[in-house]
DNA sequence: GATGAATGAGGGTTCATTCAT
DNA sequence: AATGAATGAACCCTCATTCAT
C-alpha cells in the first residue's frame, strides 16, 4: 500500500519512518493517531509523508498488514506439533501468539488495532472483516474438533465460538499481561514476560477449555 | 460530579440534557465525543453546559457512573436465586447484565465506554479502575467457589480470573449480539434480543465454565 | 444561512465581515476564494468565522442570495413602465440591472459568481439552477411576446432563448463595461458608468433585438 | 512554448502527454488544474514534465495555442463560401466553430479556457488578449459589412460589437449544447450533436442578426 | 535526458474551554 | 443562572516547483 517512493528510500530512513509511525499507531487508536505528530517526530515535511503513503488510512492499513505478516512469520518460526488434537494445536498456536506480544509489543498492538472500532467507515470495514476472520478461524477449528471427537457434538458452535473467542483473545491476553502486573502490552514491564509465562497462561486456558468442551470425563 | 446547578434544573430539561449527552457518548468513544455537538443538539448555550459540569471529563464520568447505577438497579430488580452455588449465581447475574443491554442499549454502551482506552490520562485511570473492579469481583466469586467446593482448589486464580473475565465479558457479549446477527449493541437489530437469547447464551457460557472449573467429572 | 451568532454581532463588526467576505468572493471564483484570507484580512480567529457561518459554502451562497436581494431591491426602486410591450419591459429591466452593476460592482460581481462553474458539486448545483432560472425567465418573456404579437410566432424559442440570453447577459455587460474602456466590473474606471451609459447600451441591444425578433418591418 | 526536449520525444509519448494534459485542462479551470495529477496519470516523473515545459503556465498556454491552431485547421478544412455577404460568411464560420466543438470537445474546451479569468496574472493577460482578438475580428467583419452595405451605417460598432459577441459566443454555444439537453461541451451527450444541429443553431442566430443589423426592412 | 524525493505554505474544518456580559 | 462570541492550535491533505543524482 505504500507508494513506490517509500521503497526507494534509503533503508535507514524508511526504517525510521516505520518505527515512528508504528509508535504512533501503537499508542493510539486510529482516530486519535495523528499524521502531524508522525511527521513532526520524524522532522520531515508533511508533504513528504504523503509521497510515501496516500494518506492516513493507507499508512495505518499497511502497518496492520505488516503486523500480520510479522506475526505470521513469528508464529511460523516454530514448527507446529504434528499428529496433535485440537487442544494441542490451539495450545501451540496461542502460545506463539503470546510470545509475539512479548517479543514485538508494538507490532502486536498495531495488529490489535485492526479490531478496534473507528469513525472512519473504511477502517470500520477493516475491523469488521478482521473480526469475522478471527471467528471463522475458530469456528473451523472447533468444527474440526467435533469431527475428531475432541469437542462434544451437541454444542452449538453459534454459541460456543464467540465465547471461546472471548476467552482466547481478550482473556488470554489479560492473563498473560497480568503475570507481569501489567494491563498494556506496551508497558515496559511487559518485556519481562517470557516463554514460561506464555506456556503457563495458555495451559490454564486450554485445560479450562478442554474440560469445558471435550466429550466425556475431563 | 455535576454541579448543584444541574440538579436545580427543571426535571425535563435535566432529562433532555442527559439523553442527548448519553446519545453522544454512546455513539462515540470519549475522545471523539464532542461537547459542541451536544450543546448544538440541545440548542443551549455552550457556557450553560459548563455551568452544569466542569467539563467534558466530568460529564462523561458522571454518565458512566450513572450507567453503573442504572445497571445495578436493573440487575437488582429480579431477586437473586437463594441457596445457589457459584454457577447459578453467575448465571443469574450475567443474564441480568445481558438483559440490561437489550433493554437500555445506550446506557449499556456508555457503561462499556468506561473500559475503552483514551488519550486523556484521567479517563484512562477511570478505565483502569473499572477493569480492576470487574476482575476483583470475579476473583471474589471464584474464591468463594473454591471455598464452597464448586471450583477446583488447585486452580490458580491469578490465571483463571482474567480468562474467565474474557469469556464472560467480551465472549458473552459477542455471543449475545451474534444471535441478532449484530456486532454493536446500538444496532437497531439488537432490539430483537430478549430473555430467551440471554438465557441461552448465559447457559452455554456457564455450562462451559462449570465443566471447565468444577472439581471432579463434569 | 448564517448562524444566529452572526446577526447578534455588533452591526459594525458584522458589516466589516460582510465587506471583507464580499471583496474576497467578488475578486475570485468560488474555488479560488479563501476563508483563510478572509479571516486574516479581518484579523479574527479562524474559528470565529465558523461561528457565524457553517463553512465556505454557506458563506458564499448567502452572499449570492444577499446579492440577489440587493439587486432586486435596486431594480424595484424605479417603477416599471406600465402598458409597455416586451421590448420596453426588457429595456427597463436590463437598464436597471446595468445600473446596479455601476452602483454596486462587488455585489453585482458576486451575483454573477452564481453562474460560474465550480468543482464543488453543491455549488455546481447552485450554478445550474441559477442558469436555468435565467433562461426560464427569458423564455417566459419571449413566449408572452409571441402572444402579444411583438415576437414572430414562427421563431423556435428553443433556439432563440439561449441566443438572446447570450446577447442580454454577456453581450450587454461587455458593451456596458466597454464604454468605460474596461472589462471587469471591479475596475475602478467602471465607476464612471452612469445612467446614460446604461440607457445607450440597452437601447442598442434592444433595438437590435426588436428588429431581429418582431414580426413585419422593424 | 515547449522546450526542444519535448519535440525530441518519441511521437507516441509526446502524444500521450498532450492527451493527458489536454484532459486535465479541459476538465478544470487553469487554477484548479494540477500538474501533479497530469504526471501521475502519465506515470512519468514530475521533473520530466518540467524538462518539456517551463511550468504549468507554459503547458497551459501552449495547449491553448494548439487548440487555436486545431480549430483554425478544422475551420479551414471546408472552403469558405465565395462571393458571399457578411451574414453568409459568419454563418459559415460559426457553423465550422460549432462543428469543431462536436468533433473535438476537449480541444474546444481548452480553447474556451483561455477566456476564463484566473488568479495568475500572466494567464489573465492571455485571457484579455484572447477576448480582445475575438472582438477585433468581429469589429472588422462588421465594419466591412457597413462598407458592403449589409450592415446599417448608423450603428455604433462600439456598442454593437460586444453585443454581437455575446450572441455569437455564449449565446450560440448555449443554443447548440441545449439541442443535446446539455450545458457542458464535455458532457458525453454532446457527442450526439452534428451538422444539422450546428446549421440550425447558426441559422437562427444569423437570421436574428441579419434582421437586426441589415439596413432597410428585414 | 530523466528522475523523484523534498519542500512548506496553504487549503477548509473542528474543538474544548473561557469570560465578559 | 445563563449566555455565546472568541480563541487558536490541531486535524488531514494538496500543490507547483526545485535540484541532486
Amino acid at each position: 500500500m505504500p507508494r513506490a517512493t517509500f521503497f526507494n528510500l534509503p533503508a535507514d530512513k524508511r526504517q525510521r519512518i516505520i518505527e515512528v509511525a508504528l509508535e504512533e499507531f501503537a499508542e493510539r487508536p486510529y482516530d486519535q493517531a495523528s499524521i502531524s505528530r508522525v511527521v513532526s517526530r520524524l522532522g520531515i515535511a508533511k508533504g513528504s509523508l504523503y509521497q510515501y503513503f496516500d494518506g492516513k488510512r493507507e499508512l495505518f492499513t499497511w502497518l496492520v498488514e505488516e503486523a500480520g505478516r510479522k506475526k505470521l512469520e513469528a508464529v511460523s518460526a516454530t514448527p507446529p506439533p504434528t499428529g496433535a488434537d485440537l487442544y494441542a494445536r490451539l495450545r501451540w498456536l496461542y502460545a506463539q501468539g503470546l510470545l509475539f506480544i512479548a517479543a514485538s509489543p508494538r507490532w502486536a498492538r498495531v495488529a490489535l488495532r485492526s479490531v478496534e472500532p473507528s469513525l472512519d467507515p473504511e477502517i470500520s470495514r477493516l475491523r469488521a472483516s478482521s473480526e469475522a476472520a478471527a471467528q471463522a478461524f475458530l469456528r473451523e477449528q472447533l468444527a474440526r474438533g467435533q469431527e475428531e471427537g475432541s469437542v462434544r457434538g451437541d454444542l452449538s458452535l453459534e454459541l460456543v465460538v464467540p465465547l471461546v473467542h472471548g476467552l482466547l483473545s481478550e482473556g488470554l491476553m489479560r492473563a498473560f499481561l497480568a503475570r507481569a502486573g501489567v494491563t498494556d502490552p506496551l508497558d515496559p514491564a511487559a518485556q519481562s514476560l517470557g516463554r514460561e509465562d506464555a506456556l503457563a497462561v495458555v495451559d490454564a486456558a486450554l485445560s479450562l477449555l478442554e474440560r469445558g468442551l471435550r466429550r466425556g470425563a475431563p
Side-chain angles (χ1 to χ4, degrees), chain A:
Chain A
M1 229 94 164
R3 300 192 181 177
T5 323
F6 184 61
F7 296 112
N8 297 339
L9 245 34
D12 56 341
K13 180 164 191 183
R14 190 166 67 240
Q15 204 45 44
R16 262 210 81 219
I17 292 172
I18 294 178
E19 271 160 23
V20 171
L22 177 63
E23 196 178 334
E24 176 71 12
F25 284 95
E27 267 172 6
R28 319 175 131 75
Y30 176 77
D31 294 304
Q32 260 71 45
S34 151
I35 291 292
S36 294
R37 206 154 26 215
V38 170
V39 297
S40 117
R41 281 193 210 165
L42 280 170
I44 65 173
K46 229 189 228 164
S48 298
L49 196 65
Y50 281 84
Q51 301 262 38
Y52 313 141
F53 293 90
D54 278 340
K56 187 183 181 184
R57 260 197 309 251
E58 283 66 31
L59 172 52
F60 175 68
T61 56
W62 182 74
L63 282 174
V64 165
E65 289 165 11
E66 196 68 1
R69 279 187 287 272
K70 294 211 182 275
K71 182 172 178 181
L72 184 60
E73 195 181 314
V75 167
S76 311
T78 313
T82 64
D85 75 346
L86 170 68
Y87 305 102
R89 288 198 308 268
L90 292 177
R91 184 172 272 115
W92 170 81
L93 185 69
Y94 281 92
Q96 299 300 317
L98 292 186
L99 290 171
F100 178 65
I101 294 175
S104 306
R106 287 186 316 198
W107 284 110
R109 196 58 122 86
V110 162
L112 289 170
R113 293 269 175 245
S114 71
V115 297
E116 284 180 358
S118 159
L119 298 184
D120 181 306
E122 199 158 320
I123 300 297
S124 282
R125 243 172 286 139
L126 171 65
R127 182 201 101 88
S129 75
S130 292
E131 269 278 316
Q135 298 229 22
F137 169 78
L138 262 187
R139 159 177 283 270
E140 188 199 319
Q141 293 297 316
L142 293 183
R144 220 197 311 166
Q146 287 186 323
E147 288 168 18
E148 289 175 358
S150 53
V151 171
R152 298 210 321 275
D154 63 325
L155 290 177
S156 150
L157 293 189
E158 246 79 60
L159 288 169
V160 167
V161 163
L163 294 171
V164 172
H165 188 195
L167 176 67
L168 292 180
S169 297
E170 290 85 359
L172 205 53
M173 166 89 102
R174 268 195 277 248
F176 185 51
L177 296 175
R179 286 182 67 93
V182 153
T183 270
D184 177 340
L186 290 187
D187 192 307
Q191 297 191 337
S192 67
L193 292 166
R195 164 165 300 271
E196 330 81 68
D197 296 299
L199 292 180
V201 165
V202 169
D203 263 348
L206 276 143
S207 67
L208 195 165
L209 215 55
E210 183 163 9
R211 285 172 173 273
L213 299 180
R214 188 185 279 285
R215 102 161 76 219

